[in-house]
Amino acid sequence: MSEQVIAIDGPAGSGKSSVARALAEALGWSFLDTGAMYRAVTVEAISRCVDLTNERAMGQLAEGLTLATLPRVTVNGRDVQDELRRDDVNEGVSIVAANPLVRAQMVRRQREFAAAQSLGTVVEGRDITTVVFPEATLKVFLTASLEERVRRRSSEGKDSVERRDVADTTREASPLRKADDAFVLDTTGRSVHEAVEEIVQWLKHLTLS
Ligand code: DC
């Protein structure tokens, strides 16, 4: 792989989105929010009344969509950004993300995205360090206490965050787990800026050594 990728993984509310976004901005790299991709597929399936548990139908839907994440998330040109965190999407997205046919389509698109960037890409999401970009320049696994993660996801509630933790770590297709060579960063009590500074230091060490 010739392109530069920083892959960031971790559970819901660990700070992945904010840290990855700010890191991309600090480096002048592109940013890819892969959770938003699974959420966008879920939004589209719900609006087309596709049964989220129907593996084949969901796989076909995911294959045929035109998906963009920048500057806003769109599906077939329709802006779905403000729908990504609806309650029914929070509920349904774990089912969609556990579907291996959907995952294959998303992984393909994620690799294509990174390969098309002229500088580097900061990518965040479950399985990004383990499956999608195991050869990434730098792999980071973010953690934070459950209390802090629930606070950050205040609109979602503790039960929903806990349910998603269980669903994401125990599913068969690409469960959430730390890559053996990932750097671990506990973001409890740390600002986004502090987390970004730390990762930039790691990157400097890696690229200088
Ligand atoms: O990070 P998030 O909450 O927006 O992710 C939404 C869901 O998609 C969550 O259940 C985990 C899943 N997901 C995944 O399985 N693989 C990814 N690369 C990104 C997200």
Side-chain angles (χ1 to χ4, degrees):
M1 191 176 68
S2 59
E3 74 266 24
Q4 297 253 73
V5 169
I6 298 179
I8 303 186
D9 226 330
S14 60
K16 287 193 307 292
S17 287
S18 333
V19 171
R21 213 178 283 273
L23 177 64
E25 201 170 312
L27 296 171
W29 289 14
S30 302
F31 166 65
L32 183 61
D33 174 355
T34 61
M37 296 171 69
Y38 290 96
R39 288 173 178 277
V41 174
T42 308
V43 169
E44 184 66 11
I46 293 171
S47 69
R48 290 198 204 175
C49 298
V50 177
D51 175 4
L52 301 186
T53 65
N54 184 331
E55 262 192 26
R56 287 231 341 248
M58 286 301 301
Q60 275 168 6
L61 178 77
E63 188 174 0
L65 294 176
T66 302
L67 255 183
T69 57
L70 291 174
R72 288 176 65 85
V73 179
T74 60
V75 179
N76 293 338
R78 181 171 80 88
D79 188 328
V80 297
Q81 181 85 41
D82 297 334
E83 300 177 52
L84 300 179
R85 297 198 176 270
R86 280 185 344 219
D87 286 347
D88 57 346
V89 177
N90 288 335
E91 285 286 318
V93 70
S94 288
I95 302 169
V96 175
N99 179 333
L101 303 178
V102 174
R103 296 203 75 79
Q105 292 305 321
M106 295 302 115
V107 169
R108 173 180 63 80
R109 290 161 190 262
Q110 289 153 15
R111 290 181 178 144
E112 281 171 6
F113 179 94
Q117 307 309 307
S118 48
L119 293 171
T121 307
V122 181
V123 196
E124 65 99 342
R126 321 290 190 286
D127 87 341
I128 287 303
T129 58
T130 51
V131 174
V132 189
F133 296 107
E135 308 293 327
T137 318
L138 172 64
K139 287 173 250 182
V140 180
F141 193 85
L142 297 184
T143 61
S145 67
L146 177 63
E147 289 68 31
E148 177 128 355
R149 295 193 291 114
V150 169
R151 220 174 10 253
R152 291 175 184 163
R153 286 281 165 100
S154 54
S155 62
E156 196 176 334
K158 189 173 179 195
D159 288 352
S160 175
V161 171
E162 278 187 313
R163 217 174 22 248
R164 247 158 21 89
D165 277 356
V166 172
D168 292 343
T169 50
T170 58
R171 71 182 184 208
E172 239 170 74
S174 304
L176 169 68
R177 72 169 181 85
K178 186 186 90 59
D180 294 339
D181 54 350
F183 287 65
V184 179
L185 181 58
D186 187 340
T187 63
T188 313
R190 287 198 204 208
S191 68
V192 170
H193 179 72
E194 286 166 337
V196 167
E197 294 271 283
E198 181 93 35
I199 297 170
V200 169
Q201 288 309 315
W202 288 340
L203 182 67
K204 278 192 188 150
H205 273 285
L206 273 182
T207 48
L208 291 178
S209 62

PDB file of all heavy atoms in Angstrom, residues 12 16-17 33-36 38-39 85 90 93-94 97-98 103 110 124-128 132 153 156 164 168 171 174, ligand 1:
ATOM      1  N   ALA A  12     -18.141   2.893  20.842  1.00  0.00           N
ATOM      2  CA  ALA A  12     -19.001   4.087  20.728  1.00  0.00           C
ATOM      3  C   ALA A  12     -18.652   5.092  21.822  1.00  0.00           C
ATOM      4  O   ALA A  12     -18.510   4.727  22.984  1.00  0.00           O
ATOM      5  CB  ALA A  12     -20.461   3.665  20.858  1.00  0.00           C
ATOM      6  N   LYS A  16     -13.707   8.708  18.642  1.00  0.00           N
ATOM      7  CA  LYS A  16     -13.167   8.424  17.298  1.00  0.00           C
ATOM      8  C   LYS A  16     -13.448   9.542  16.304  1.00  0.00           C
ATOM      9  O   LYS A  16     -12.546  10.050  15.660  1.00  0.00           O
ATOM     10  CB  LYS A  16     -13.774   7.143  16.716  1.00  0.00           C
ATOM     11  CG  LYS A  16     -13.302   5.877  17.334  1.00  0.00           C
ATOM     12  CD  LYS A  16     -13.709   4.675  16.493  1.00  0.00           C
ATOM     13  CE  LYS A  16     -15.192   4.622  16.172  1.00  0.00           C
ATOM     14  NZ  LYS A  16     -16.072   4.369  17.281  1.00  0.00           N
ATOM     15  N   SER A  17     -14.729   9.912  16.191  1.00  0.00           N
ATOM     16  CA  SER A  17     -15.095  10.888  15.161  1.00  0.00           C
ATOM     17  C   SER A  17     -14.412  12.229  15.387  1.00  0.00           C
ATOM     18  O   SER A  17     -13.781  12.769  14.484  1.00  0.00           O
ATOM     19  CB  SER A  17     -16.606  11.128  15.128  1.00  0.00           C
ATOM     20  OG  SER A  17     -17.235  10.028  14.582  1.00  0.00           O
ATOM     21  N   ASP A  33     -15.302   8.835   7.736  1.00  0.00           N
ATOM     22  CA  ASP A  33     -16.094   8.353   8.878  1.00  0.00           C
ATOM     23  C   ASP A  33     -16.861   7.119   8.401  1.00  0.00           C
ATOM     24  O   ASP A  33     -17.892   7.234   7.745  1.00  0.00           O
ATOM     25  CB  ASP A  33     -17.035   9.486   9.311  1.00  0.00           C
ATOM     26  CG  ASP A  33     -18.018   9.054  10.388  1.00  0.00           C
ATOM     27  OD1 ASP A  33     -18.054   7.868  10.754  1.00  0.00           O
ATOM     28  OD2 ASP A  33     -18.752   9.932  10.861  1.00  0.00           O
ATOM     29  N   THR A  34     -16.331   5.933   8.716  1.00  0.00           N
ATOM     30  CA  THR A  34     -16.947   4.723   8.149  1.00  0.00           C
ATOM     31  C   THR A  34     -18.244   4.338   8.860  1.00  0.00           C
ATOM     32  O   THR A  34     -19.100   3.698   8.262  1.00  0.00           O
ATOM     33  CB  THR A  34     -15.973   3.533   8.185  1.00  0.00           C
ATOM     34  OG1 THR A  34     -15.625   3.251   9.544  1.00  0.00           O
ATOM     35  CG2 THR A  34     -14.727   3.816   7.388  1.00  0.00           C
ATOM     36  N   GLY A  35     -18.390   4.748  10.127  1.00  0.00           N
ATOM     37  CA  GLY A  35     -19.666   4.496  10.822  1.00  0.00           C
ATOM     38  C   GLY A  35     -20.802   5.195  10.098  1.00  0.00           C
ATOM     39  O   GLY A  35     -21.913   4.662   9.960  1.00  0.00           O
ATOM     40  N   ALA A  36     -20.497   6.400   9.569  1.00  0.00           N
ATOM     41  CA  ALA A  36     -21.517   7.157   8.833  1.00  0.00           C
ATOM     42  C   ALA A  36     -21.953   6.400   7.581  1.00  0.00           C
ATOM     43  O   ALA A  36     -23.110   6.500   7.147  1.00  0.00           O
ATOM     44  CB  ALA A  36     -20.977   8.539   8.456  1.00  0.00           C
ATOM     45  N   TYR A  38     -22.149   3.015   7.279  1.00  0.00           N
ATOM     46  CA  TYR A  38     -23.111   1.988   7.706  1.00  0.00           C
ATOM     47  C   TYR A  38     -24.436   2.629   8.099  1.00  0.00           C
ATOM     48  O   TYR A  38     -25.509   2.073   7.853  1.00  0.00           O
ATOM     49  CB  TYR A  38     -22.535   1.159   8.863  1.00  0.00           C
ATOM     50  CG  TYR A  38     -21.400   0.264   8.411  1.00  0.00           C
ATOM     51  CD1 TYR A  38     -20.079   0.659   8.536  1.00  0.00           C
ATOM     52  CD2 TYR A  38     -21.671  -0.957   7.808  1.00  0.00           C
ATOM     53  CE1 TYR A  38     -19.038  -0.153   8.091  1.00  0.00           C
ATOM     54  CE2 TYR A  38     -20.639  -1.778   7.355  1.00  0.00           C
ATOM     55  CZ  TYR A  38     -19.331  -1.369   7.503  1.00  0.00           C
ATOM     56  OH  TYR A  38     -18.310  -2.176   7.048  1.00  0.00           O
ATOM     57  N   ARG A  39     -24.354   3.804   8.716  1.00  0.00           N
ATOM     58  CA  ARG A  39     -25.582   4.498   9.100  1.00  0.00           C
ATOM     59  C   ARG A  39     -26.366   4.937   7.857  1.00  0.00           C
ATOM     60  O   ARG A  39     -27.596   4.851   7.821  1.00  0.00           O
ATOM     61  CB  ARG A  39     -25.245   5.716   9.973  1.00  0.00           C
ATOM     62  CG  ARG A  39     -24.789   5.339  11.366  1.00  0.00           C
ATOM     63  CD  ARG A  39     -24.298   6.549  12.166  1.00  0.00           C
ATOM     64  NE  ARG A  39     -23.914   6.154  13.509  1.00  0.00           N
ATOM     65  CZ  ARG A  39     -24.746   6.010  14.539  1.00  0.00           C
ATOM     66  NH1 ARG A  39     -26.033   6.300  14.373  1.00  0.00           N
ATOM     67  NH2 ARG A  39     -24.325   5.633  15.717  1.00  0.00           N
ATOM     68  N   ARG A  85     -28.328   9.819  13.106  1.00  0.00           N
ATOM     69  CA  ARG A  85     -28.385   9.471  14.533  1.00  0.00           C
ATOM     70  C   ARG A  85     -29.811   9.371  15.056  1.00  0.00           C
ATOM     71  O   ARG A  85     -30.066   9.523  16.250  1.00  0.00           O
ATOM     72  CB  ARG A  85     -27.535  10.449  15.355  1.00  0.00           C
ATOM     73  CG  ARG A  85     -26.094  10.331  14.956  1.00  0.00           C
ATOM     74  CD  ARG A  85     -25.072  10.873  15.900  1.00  0.00           C
ATOM     75  NE  ARG A  85     -23.733  10.587  15.387  1.00  0.00           N
ATOM     76  CZ  ARG A  85     -23.045   9.497  15.663  1.00  0.00           C
ATOM     77  NH1 ARG A  85     -23.538   8.567  16.464  1.00  0.00           N
ATOM     78  NH2 ARG A  85     -21.850   9.316  15.143  1.00  0.00           N
ATOM     79  N   ASN A  90     -29.889   4.214  15.157  1.00  0.00           N
ATOM     80  CA  ASN A  90     -29.038   3.699  16.244  1.00  0.00           C
ATOM     81  C   ASN A  90     -29.359   2.235  16.525  1.00  0.00           C
ATOM     82  O   ASN A  90     -28.469   1.423  16.782  1.00  0.00           O
ATOM     83  CB  ASN A  90     -29.264   4.495  17.542  1.00  0.00           C
ATOM     84  CG  ASN A  90     -28.681   5.896  17.474  1.00  0.00           C
ATOM     85  OD1 ASN A  90     -27.749   6.160  16.724  1.00  0.00           O
ATOM     86  ND2 ASN A  90     -29.248   6.803  18.255  1.00  0.00           N
ATOM     87  N   VAL A  93     -28.489  -0.071  13.029  1.00  0.00           N
ATOM     88  CA  VAL A  93     -27.182  -0.075  12.364  1.00  0.00           C
ATOM     89  C   VAL A  93     -26.305  -1.262  12.791  1.00  0.00           C
ATOM     90  O   VAL A  93     -25.510  -1.756  11.986  1.00  0.00           O
ATOM     91  CB  VAL A  93     -26.453   1.288  12.550  1.00  0.00           C
ATOM     92  CG1 VAL A  93     -26.005   1.498  13.989  1.00  0.00           C
ATOM     93  CG2 VAL A  93     -25.277   1.395  11.600  1.00  0.00           C
ATOM     94  N   SER A  94     -26.478  -1.750  14.006  1.00  0.00           N
ATOM     95  CA  SER A  94     -25.663  -2.904  14.426  1.00  0.00           C
ATOM     96  C   SER A  94     -26.009  -4.144  13.601  1.00  0.00           C
ATOM     97  O   SER A  94     -25.133  -4.962  13.310  1.00  0.00           O
ATOM     98  CB  SER A  94     -25.855  -3.215  15.911  1.00  0.00           C
ATOM     99  OG  SER A  94     -25.230  -2.240  16.694  1.00  0.00           O
ATOM    100  N   ALA A  97     -24.427  -3.545  10.178  1.00  0.00           N
ATOM    101  CA  ALA A  97     -22.965  -3.648  10.224  1.00  0.00           C
ATOM    102  C   ALA A  97     -22.499  -5.074  10.488  1.00  0.00           C
ATOM    103  O   ALA A  97     -21.336  -5.401  10.269  1.00  0.00           O
ATOM    104  CB  ALA A  97     -22.408  -2.705  11.287  1.00  0.00           C
ATOM    105  N   ALA A  98     -23.388  -5.939  10.938  1.00  0.00           N
ATOM    106  CA  ALA A  98     -23.012  -7.342  11.182  1.00  0.00           C
ATOM    107  C   ALA A  98     -23.188  -8.194   9.930  1.00  0.00           C
ATOM    108  O   ALA A  98     -22.825  -9.359   9.916  1.00  0.00           O
ATOM    109  CB  ALA A  98     -23.865  -7.912  12.321  1.00  0.00           C
ATOM    110  N   ARG A 103     -20.712  -5.478   4.671  1.00  0.00           N
ATOM    111  CA  ARG A 103     -19.342  -5.125   5.055  1.00  0.00           C
ATOM    112  C   ARG A 103     -18.399  -5.191   3.859  1.00  0.00           C
ATOM    113  O   ARG A 103     -17.558  -4.327   3.672  1.00  0.00           O
ATOM    114  CB  ARG A 103     -18.815  -6.072   6.147  1.00  0.00           C
ATOM    115  CG  ARG A 103     -19.546  -5.995   7.450  1.00  0.00           C
ATOM    116  CD  ARG A 103     -18.684  -6.480   8.601  1.00  0.00           C
ATOM    117  NE  ARG A 103     -17.684  -5.490   8.952  1.00  0.00           N
ATOM    118  CZ  ARG A 103     -17.926  -4.411   9.683  1.00  0.00           C
ATOM    119  NH1 ARG A 103     -19.117  -4.166  10.145  1.00  0.00           N
ATOM    120  NH2 ARG A 103     -16.975  -3.543   9.934  1.00  0.00           N
ATOM    121  N   GLN A 110     -14.127   1.844   1.140  1.00  0.00           N
ATOM    122  CA  GLN A 110     -13.183   2.532   2.032  1.00  0.00           C
ATOM    123  C   GLN A 110     -11.760   2.477   1.465  1.00  0.00           C
ATOM    124  O   GLN A 110     -11.031   3.462   1.486  1.00  0.00           O
ATOM    125  CB  GLN A 110     -13.253   1.893   3.430  1.00  0.00           C
ATOM    126  CG  GLN A 110     -14.555   2.234   4.137  1.00  0.00           C
ATOM    127  CD  GLN A 110     -14.989   1.194   5.145  1.00  0.00           C
ATOM    128  OE1 GLN A 110     -14.215   0.327   5.549  1.00  0.00           O
ATOM    129  NE2 GLN A 110     -16.236   1.273   5.588  1.00  0.00           N
ATOM    130  N   GLU A 124     -11.752   6.301  10.471  1.00  0.00           N
ATOM    131  CA  GLU A 124     -12.154   5.775  11.768  1.00  0.00           C
ATOM    132  C   GLU A 124     -13.319   4.815  11.656  1.00  0.00           C
ATOM    133  O   GLU A 124     -14.143   4.955  10.758  1.00  0.00           O
ATOM    134  CB  GLU A 124     -12.462   6.928  12.739  1.00  0.00           C
ATOM    135  CG  GLU A 124     -13.647   7.777  12.351  1.00  0.00           C
ATOM    136  CD  GLU A 124     -14.906   7.411  13.081  1.00  0.00           C
ATOM    137  OE1 GLU A 124     -14.973   6.295  13.630  1.00  0.00           O
ATOM    138  OE2 GLU A 124     -15.833   8.223  13.079  1.00  0.00           O
ATOM    139  N   GLY A 125     -13.349   3.844  12.569  1.00  0.00           N
ATOM    140  CA  GLY A 125     -14.461   2.900  12.610  1.00  0.00           C
ATOM    141  C   GLY A 125     -14.014   1.542  13.097  1.00  0.00           C
ATOM    142  O   GLY A 125     -12.820   1.227  13.094  1.00  0.00           O
ATOM    143  N   ARG A 126     -14.986   0.716  13.528  1.00  0.00           N
ATOM    144  CA  ARG A 126     -14.694  -0.647  13.987  1.00  0.00           C
ATOM    145  C   ARG A 126     -14.052  -1.402  12.836  1.00  0.00           C
ATOM    146  O   ARG A 126     -14.470  -1.225  11.700  1.00  0.00           O
ATOM    147  CB  ARG A 126     -15.972  -1.400  14.340  1.00  0.00           C
ATOM    148  CG  ARG A 126     -17.030  -0.645  15.014  1.00  0.00           C
ATOM    149  CD  ARG A 126     -16.624  -0.287  16.439  1.00  0.00           C
ATOM    150  NE  ARG A 126     -17.739   0.241  17.178  1.00  0.00           N
ATOM    151  CZ  ARG A 126     -18.244   1.449  17.009  1.00  0.00           C
ATOM    152  NH1 ARG A 126     -17.740   2.248  16.087  1.00  0.00           N
ATOM    153  NH2 ARG A 126     -19.254   1.860  17.735  1.00  0.00           N
ATOM    154  N   ASP A 127     -13.082  -2.233  13.125  1.00  0.00           N
ATOM    155  CA  ASP A 127     -12.455  -3.120  12.144  1.00  0.00           C
ATOM    156  C   ASP A 127     -11.492  -2.410  11.199  1.00  0.00           C
ATOM    157  O   ASP A 127     -10.889  -3.025  10.351  1.00  0.00           O
ATOM    158  CB  ASP A 127     -13.485  -3.902  11.309  1.00  0.00           C
ATOM    159  CG  ASP A 127     -13.997  -3.165  10.055  1.00  0.00           C
ATOM    160  OD1 ASP A 127     -13.863  -1.940   9.982  1.00  0.00           O
ATOM    161  OD2 ASP A 127     -14.509  -3.835   9.162  1.00  0.00           O
ATOM    162  N   ILE A 128     -11.339  -1.112  11.360  1.00  0.00           N
ATOM    163  CA  ILE A 128     -10.490  -0.366  10.429  1.00  0.00           C
ATOM    164  C   ILE A 128      -9.023  -0.754  10.608  1.00  0.00           C
ATOM    165  O   ILE A 128      -8.281  -0.895   9.639  1.00  0.00           O
ATOM    166  CB  ILE A 128     -10.698   1.162  10.649  1.00  0.00           C
ATOM    167  CG1 ILE A 128     -12.062   1.576  10.105  1.00  0.00           C
ATOM    168  CG2 ILE A 128      -9.595   1.982  10.034  1.00  0.00           C
ATOM    169  CD1 ILE A 128     -12.264   1.242   8.653  1.00  0.00           C
ATOM    170  N   VAL A 132      -9.694  -3.605   7.547  1.00  0.00           N
ATOM    171  CA  VAL A 132      -9.702  -2.755   6.341  1.00  0.00           C
ATOM    172  C   VAL A 132      -8.302  -2.248   6.000  1.00  0.00           C
ATOM    173  O   VAL A 132      -7.870  -2.340   4.857  1.00  0.00           O
ATOM    174  CB  VAL A 132     -10.678  -1.561   6.506  1.00  0.00           C
ATOM    175  CG1 VAL A 132     -10.838  -0.820   5.179  1.00  0.00           C
ATOM    176  CG2 VAL A 132     -12.031  -2.033   7.009  1.00  0.00           C
ATOM    177  N   ARG A 153     -22.331  10.641  24.394  1.00  0.00           N
ATOM    178  CA  ARG A 153     -23.464  10.217  23.558  1.00  0.00           C
ATOM    179  C   ARG A 153     -24.757  10.527  24.291  1.00  0.00           C
ATOM    180  O   ARG A 153     -25.642   9.677  24.374  1.00  0.00           O
ATOM    181  CB  ARG A 153     -23.372   8.719  23.278  1.00  0.00           C
ATOM    182  CG  ARG A 153     -22.294   8.348  22.287  1.00  0.00           C
ATOM    183  CD  ARG A 153     -22.766   8.627  20.872  1.00  0.00           C
ATOM    184  NE  ARG A 153     -21.675   8.628  19.927  1.00  0.00           N
ATOM    185  CZ  ARG A 153     -21.365   7.608  19.139  1.00  0.00           C
ATOM    186  NH1 ARG A 153     -22.046   6.510  19.200  1.00  0.00           N
ATOM    187  NH2 ARG A 153     -20.390   7.711  18.268  1.00  0.00           N
ATOM    188  N   GLU A 156     -28.147   9.439  23.275  1.00  0.00           N
ATOM    189  CA  GLU A 156     -28.394   8.018  23.012  1.00  0.00           C
ATOM    190  C   GLU A 156     -28.763   7.224  24.269  1.00  0.00           C
ATOM    191  O   GLU A 156     -29.557   6.283  24.202  1.00  0.00           O
ATOM    192  CB  GLU A 156     -27.157   7.410  22.343  1.00  0.00           C
ATOM    193  CG  GLU A 156     -27.439   6.075  21.700  1.00  0.00           C
ATOM    194  CD  GLU A 156     -26.241   5.515  20.952  1.00  0.00           C
ATOM    195  OE1 GLU A 156     -25.387   6.277  20.505  1.00  0.00           O
ATOM    196  OE2 GLU A 156     -26.183   4.282  20.839  1.00  0.00           O
ATOM    197  N   ARG A 164     -24.960  -1.542  22.183  1.00  0.00           N
ATOM    198  CA  ARG A 164     -24.130  -1.505  20.970  1.00  0.00           C
ATOM    199  C   ARG A 164     -22.719  -2.050  21.226  1.00  0.00           C
ATOM    200  O   ARG A 164     -22.126  -2.704  20.377  1.00  0.00           O
ATOM    201  CB  ARG A 164     -24.088  -0.096  20.405  1.00  0.00           C
ATOM    202  CG  ARG A 164     -24.792  -0.086  19.089  1.00  0.00           C
ATOM    203  CD  ARG A 164     -25.333   1.151  18.529  1.00  0.00           C
ATOM    204  NE  ARG A 164     -24.831   2.399  18.979  1.00  0.00           N
ATOM    205  CZ  ARG A 164     -23.799   3.032  18.463  1.00  0.00           C
ATOM    206  NH1 ARG A 164     -23.118   2.493  17.475  1.00  0.00           N
ATOM    207  NH2 ARG A 164     -23.447   4.202  18.902  1.00  0.00           N
ATOM    208  N   ASP A 168     -21.400  -5.001  19.019  1.00  0.00           N
ATOM    209  CA  ASP A 168     -20.211  -4.771  18.181  1.00  0.00           C
ATOM    210  C   ASP A 168     -19.049  -5.691  18.536  1.00  0.00           C
ATOM    211  O   ASP A 168     -18.252  -6.055  17.677  1.00  0.00           O
ATOM    212  CB  ASP A 168     -19.742  -3.307  18.298  1.00  0.00           C
ATOM    213  CG  ASP A 168     -20.724  -2.339  17.671  1.00  0.00           C
ATOM    214  OD1 ASP A 168     -21.583  -2.785  16.882  1.00  0.00           O
ATOM    215  OD2 ASP A 168     -20.649  -1.133  17.978  1.00  0.00           O
ATOM    216  N   ARG A 171     -20.299  -9.798  17.678  1.00  0.00           N
ATOM    217  CA  ARG A 171     -20.785 -10.267  16.372  1.00  0.00           C
ATOM    218  C   ARG A 171     -19.720 -11.105  15.667  1.00  0.00           C
ATOM    219  O   ARG A 171     -18.518 -10.978  15.960  1.00  0.00           O
ATOM    220  CB  ARG A 171     -21.186  -9.070  15.510  1.00  0.00           C
ATOM    221  CG  ARG A 171     -19.986  -8.287  15.065  1.00  0.00           C
ATOM    222  CD  ARG A 171     -20.379  -7.081  14.252  1.00  0.00           C
ATOM    223  NE  ARG A 171     -19.183  -6.435  13.778  1.00  0.00           N
ATOM    224  CZ  ARG A 171     -19.081  -5.148  13.504  1.00  0.00           C
ATOM    225  NH1 ARG A 171     -20.109  -4.351  13.644  1.00  0.00           N
ATOM    226  NH2 ARG A 171     -17.957  -4.653  13.060  1.00  0.00           N
ATOM    227  N   SER A 174     -16.225  -9.397  11.660  1.00  0.00           N
ATOM    228  CA  SER A 174     -15.361  -8.303  12.098  1.00  0.00           C
ATOM    229  C   SER A 174     -15.770  -7.677  13.428  1.00  0.00           C
ATOM    230  O   SER A 174     -16.129  -6.508  13.480  1.00  0.00           O
ATOM    231  CB  SER A 174     -15.327  -7.198  11.036  1.00  0.00           C
ATOM    232  OG  SER A 174     -14.937  -7.703   9.816  1.00  0.00           O
TER     233      SER A 174
HETATM  234  O1   DC B   1     -19.143   4.823  14.988  1.00  0.00           O
HETATM  235  P1   DC B   1     -20.649   4.776  14.772  1.00  0.00           P
HETATM  236  O2   DC B   1     -21.425   4.731  16.064  1.00  0.00           O
HETATM  237  O3   DC B   1     -21.154   5.850  13.867  1.00  0.00           O
HETATM  238  O4   DC B   1     -20.910   3.377  14.037  1.00  0.00           O
HETATM  239  C1   DC B   1     -22.191   2.969  13.687  1.00  0.00           C
HETATM  240  C2   DC B   1     -22.294   1.457  13.708  1.00  0.00           C
HETATM  241  O5   DC B   1     -21.579   0.878  12.616  1.00  0.00           O
HETATM  242  C3   DC B   1     -21.777   0.789  14.983  1.00  0.00           C
HETATM  243  O6   DC B   1     -22.734  -0.181  15.389  1.00  0.00           O
HETATM  244  C4   DC B   1     -20.503   0.122  14.570  1.00  0.00           C
HETATM  245  C5   DC B   1     -20.648  -0.071  13.093  1.00  0.00           C
HETATM  246  N1   DC B   1     -19.406   0.098  12.355  1.00  0.00           N
HETATM  247  C6   DC B   1     -18.762  -1.034  11.886  1.00  0.00           C
HETATM  248  O7   DC B   1     -19.221  -2.139  12.140  1.00  0.00           O
HETATM  249  N2   DC B   1     -17.617  -0.910  11.162  1.00  0.00           N
HETATM  250  C7   DC B   1     -17.097   0.293  10.900  1.00  0.00           C
HETATM  251  N3   DC B   1     -15.968   0.381  10.192  1.00  0.00           N
HETATM  252  C8   DC B   1     -17.728   1.462  11.377  1.00  0.00           C
HETATM  253  C9   DC B   1     -18.882   1.330  12.120  1.00  0.00           C
END
